[in-house]
C-alpha cells in the first residue's frame, strides 16, 4: 500500500534551530538564511549535512510572503522568482560534509524599484532509502532589490483590544504601501496612550517586518491599571509618508 509522505516545512524565520532542520536522524542547515541581491548580482549559500546519512537535496524557487501575524509562508506565483537563478538544482552531500549553492539575479529592464522577495527551497531525501516518510525543507529568504525611486508609506487601518490573561494586547493593523520592507522594531514604532489629552503610557511592539504591498498586525502589550475610553496615537520614527492616525478605544 502506498504510504503518504509526511512533510515538515521549516522556512528560515520559523526554524526552531536557526538555519537548521532535523528529524529522525536527517539534518540540514544553510548559511546565511537571508541574502540580499542588489540589481544584477550573485552570492553563495553554504549547505551542510551534519547528520549521519548522505542526503540528496533538491533545490527549487518560490515566492515568499508573511501572514497577518508575521508567520512565514510559501506563496504561489512567479513574479520575483523568474529573475532568480539557483545552481545546482540538486546537491548530493555526504554525512558531515557541505556543499555550495550559487544564487544570482538579473532583474529585467523596467522592473519596479524596491524589494522583491523570493525563497530558495532546499528539500532533503536520504540516499539509499526507498520509502521516505519524512522530508525536511529549509527556505533561504532572498531579497531582490531593484534600484530606483524608493517609496516608504505605512498606513494604520484599525486598532483593536484583545484580552490575554491579565494583559490587554492592542492589535494594530498596518498596510505597507511602500516598495521596501519595513522593520517594525521597538525603537521604530510606538503607540502612545492618552487620557484627557495627557499621555499615560507608551507601548512598543514585538519586533517584526512588513513586506512591501502587504498588511500585518503589530502587537502591543498593556499591563497598566487604566480602564475605560482612551485615545491611542501611532508614532513611527523616522517618519514615513502616510496619514497620522489616532484611534479611540476602550481598555
Amino acid at each position: 500500500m502506498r504510504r503518504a509522505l509526511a512533510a515538515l516545512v521549516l522556512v528560515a524565520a520559523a526554524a526552531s534551530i536557526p538555519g537548521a532542520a532535523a528529524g529522525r536522524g536527517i539534518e540540514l542547515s544553510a548559511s546565511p538564511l537571508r541574502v540580499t541581491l542588489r540589481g544584477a548580482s550573485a552570492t553563495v549559500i553554504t549547505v551542510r549535512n551534519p547528520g549521519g546519512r548522505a542526503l540528496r537535496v533538491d533545490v527549487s524557487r518560490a515566492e515568499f510572503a508573511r501572514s497577518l501575524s508575521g508567520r512565514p509562508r510559501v506563496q504561489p506565483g512567479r513574479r520575483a522568482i523568474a529573475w532568480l537563478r539557483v545552481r545546482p538544482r540538486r546537491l548530493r552531500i555526504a554525512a558531515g560534509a557541505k556543499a555550495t549553492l550559487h544564487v544570482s539575479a538579473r532583474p529585467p529592464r523596467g522592473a519596479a524599484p524596491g524589494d522583491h522577495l523570493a525563497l530558495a527551497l532546499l528539500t532533503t531525501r536520504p540516499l539509499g532509502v526507498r520509502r521516505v516518510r519524512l522530508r525536511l525543507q529549509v527556505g533561504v529568504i532572498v531579497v531582490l532589490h531593484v534600484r530606483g525611486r524608493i517609496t516608504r508609506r505605512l498606513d494604520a487601518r484599525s486598532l483593536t483590544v484583545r484580552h490575554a490573561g491579565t494583559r490587554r494586547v492592542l492589535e494594530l493593523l498596518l498596510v505597507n504601501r511602500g516598495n521596501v520592507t519595513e522593520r517594525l522594531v521597538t525603537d521604530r514604532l510606538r503607540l502612545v496612550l492618552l487620557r484627557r489629552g495627557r499621555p499615560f503610557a507608551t507601548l512598543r511592539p514585538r519586533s517584526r517586518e512588513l513586506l512591501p504591498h502587504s498588511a500585518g498586525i503589530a502587537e502591543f502589550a498593556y499591563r497598566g491599571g487604566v480602564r475605560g475610553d482612551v485615545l491611542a496615537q501611532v508614532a513611527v520614527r523616522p517618519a514615513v509618508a502616510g496619514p497620522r492616525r489616532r484611534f479611540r478605544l476602550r481598555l
Side-chain angles (χ1 to χ4, degrees):
M1 183 176 63
R2 185 176 181 180
R3 296 182 179 182
L5 295 177
L8 174 62
V9 178
L10 296 174
V11 292
S16 57
I17 306 173
R24 298 189 185 182
I26 307 171
E27 298 180 62
L28 180 70
S29 70
S31 179
L33 273 179
R34 186 186 186 110
V35 297
T36 299
L37 298 177
R38 300 183 182 278
S41 57
T43 190
V44 296
I45 296 167
T46 301
V47 183
R48 289 183 171 86
N49 175 15
R53 296 181 181 180
L55 294 177
R56 183 183 73 199
V57 180
D58 296 323
V59 182
S60 59
R61 304 163 299 167
E63 298 278 354
F64 177 69
R66 290 191 183 276
S67 67
L68 281 177
S69 62
R71 295 181 65 85
R73 57 180 178 153
V74 178
Q75 177 158 305
R78 297 190 57 82
R79 182 175 52 189
I81 63 175
W83 315 343
L84 184 65
R85 295 291 179 268
V86 184
R87 294 290 184 273
R89 302 300 294 272
R90 180 170 294 175
L91 300 170
R92 288 176 179 262
I93 312 176
K98 64 182 180 180
T100 299
L101 196 63
H102 296 269
V103 181
S104 62
R106 187 176 294 276
R109 286 188 177 182
D115 293 339
H116 304 262
L117 280 293
L119 279 176
L121 290 175
L122 313 175
T123 305
T124 67
R125 183 191 296 267
L127 296 175
V129 179
R130 288 187 176 181
R131 292 187 176 183
V132 182
R133 303 187 67 183
L134 178 67
R135 290 184 179 180
L136 300 178
Q137 192 172 69
V138 172
V140 176
I141 300 174
V142 182
V143 181
L144 308 173
H145 183 81
V146 178
R147 295 178 177 85
R149 182 178 179 181
I150 297 303
T151 302
R152 300 183 66 191
R153 179 187 174 98
L154 279 176
D155 288 351
R157 287 295 189 86
S158 64
L159 182 65
T160 57
V161 179
R162 173 172 58 86
H163 292 268
T166 59
R167 298 179 306 154
R168 278 154 292 171
V169 178
L170 282 64
E171 297 181 333
L172 177 66
L173 177 61
L174 292 166
V175 178
N176 182 2
R177 297 192 179 279
N179 58 8
V180 292
T181 300
E182 296 288 354
R183 287 175 173 79
L184 308 179
V185 293
T186 55
D187 61 347
R188 175 95 202 283
L189 174 67
R190 64 188 186 277
L191 199 61
V192 181
L193 303 183
L194 304 98
R195 198 169 202 182
R196 300 185 183 93
R198 295 184 178 181
F200 65 88
T202 299
L203 309 182
R204 302 185 186 279
R206 294 172 53 187
S207 296
R208 63 159 299 174
E209 66 177 12
L210 194 57
L211 304 184
H213 314 297
S214 70
I217 293 174
E219 295 185 347
F220 303 79
Y222 176 67
R223 296 178 175 86
V226 172
R227 298 290 188 272
D229 295 332
V230 300
L231 186 67
Q233 178 175 303
V234 180
V236 181
R237 186 174 55 188
V240 298
R244 294 182 61 185
R245 294 301 302 269
R246 292 188 172 191
F247 299 93
R248 295 193 178 278
L249 67 154
R250 178 176 288 273
L251 289 177

